[in-house]
Amino acid sequence: MKRTFLRLWMTGLLSAITLGSASQCLAAPGSWIANVPRLNVSSCQVDRQSAEMTAPSGQSGIIDSVSWQYRSPPGSRMTARLCLQDRCLRLDLARGISRYFAGLPASGPFTFRFRLADGQQPVVVDSMSLIVNHR
C-alpha cells in the first residue's frame, strides 16, 4: 500500500514538474530593440517626437521593463519623455531602466518626446534606442 501511494505521489510530482516546465516555456521572456534617427529639437513650446518604435512582426507579450538611452549635447536643458501611445514616462536621465509600462502590451508604438527649456538653443538628440523586455 505504501509503495503504491509513493509511486502515485512521485508520478503526480513528475507530471506537475513537467507541466510547470512546459508552461514556463510558453511564457518565455524575450526582448526587442529599436533605434531611431537623430532629431533636431528647436522648440520650448511644442514637443518634438521621434519616429515610432514597434516590435518586429511576430513579437508580442506583456512588458516587464524598458531600457532607453539617448545622447544630447552636454549642458543642454530640455524635458525628455518616453511614451507608449499617450502614456508617458519623464526621463530624468539620458540612460535608464523602468517598470513604468509593466503589464502593457509590448508591441508599441513607443516614441521619444523632447521639448527645450526656456532660453535653450536648438539641440540635436541622437543615439536614441529602446529595449523592451517582455514575457
Side-chain angles (χ1 to χ4, degrees):
M1 182 75 165
K2 280 187 176 180
R3 284 188 127 154
T4 304
F5 174 76
L6 184 58
R7 192 172 351 172
L8 288 173
W9 183 80
M10 290 297 286
T11 302
L13 179 62
L14 288 173
S15 295
I17 291 170
T18 303
L19 288 175
S21 298
S23 65
Q24 287 177 352
C25 290
L26 293 174
S31 63
W32 58 267
I33 301 171
N35 298 296
V36 290
R38 67 186 341 179
L39 197 59
N40 293 314
V41 182
S42 58
S43 176
C44 62
Q45 297 176 351
V46 178
D47 283 350
R48 181 80 160 109
Q49 182 172 303
S50 72
E52 290 186 344
M53 298 168 281
T54 58
S57 65
Q59 292 248 355
S60 63
I62 302 299
I63 297 172
D64 185 50
S65 65
V66 296
S67 302
W68 70 88
Q69 78 173 34
Y70 64 87
R71 188 172 57 206
S72 60
S76 57
R77 296 175 298 117
M78 64 184 161
T79 301
R81 296 181 294 155
L82 177 64
C83 300
L84 174 58
Q85 298 174 349
D86 290 331
R87 185 174 178 165
C88 295
L89 169 66
R90 183 181 171 123
L91 307 178
D92 294 325
L93 300 170
R95 173 182 293 217
I97 186 169
S98 176
R99 292 185 44 84
Y100 178 77
F101 301 106
L104 298 175
S107 56
F110 285 89
T111 57
F112 285 102
R113 296 181 188 172
F114 299 95
R115 183 182 296 195
L116 296 178
D118 288 336
Q120 171 68 51
Q121 294 297 314
V123 298
V124 174
V125 179
D126 63 5
S127 301
M128 291 177 280
S129 63
L130 174 70
I131 301 173
V132 177
N133 298 301
H134 59 84
R135 54 181 167 17

